[in-house]
Amino acid sequence: MAMRRQVAAADAVIYVSQGFLQRIYPAHPGSLQLARSNVQLTEDSFATHRRPLGATGFRIISIG
């Protein structure tokens, strides 16, 4: 249930299916929605250090 709420509230969603996950975890109609199955994460995809406390804004990324 938490994942459904998170996806429904997200501004952008990338699915790794053409329709299955979209039916289970629907995004709200105004969000950016992409379907990609060829995502490859390399070492350069990850931060090497934490952002300082007090930095403005934040991003939450969930990969599953």
Side-chain angles (χ1 to χ4, degrees), residues 3-13 15 22 25-34:
M3 180 65 77
R4 284 186 184 173
R5 286 191 304 271
Q6 291 170 350
V7 172
D11 292 326
V13 180
Y15 294 100
Q22 290 86 330
Y25 305 105
H28 68 87
S31 66
L32 174 64
Q33 300 175 45
L34 302 172

Side-chain angles (χ1 to χ4, degrees), residues 24-43:
I24 296 173
Y25 305 105
H28 68 87
S31 66
L32 174 64
Q33 300 175 45
L34 302 172
R36 300 289 184 266
S37 62
N38 61 345
V39 176
Q40 295 183 12
L41 299 175
T42 65
E43 288 295 321

Side-chain angles (χ1 to χ4, degrees), residues 3 16 21 62-64:
M3 180 65 77
V16 292
L21 293 173
S62 176
I63 301 172

Side-chain angles (χ1 to χ4, degrees), residues 49-57:
H49 60 282
R50 292 177 173 234
R51 293 175 67 183
L53 291 176
T56 60

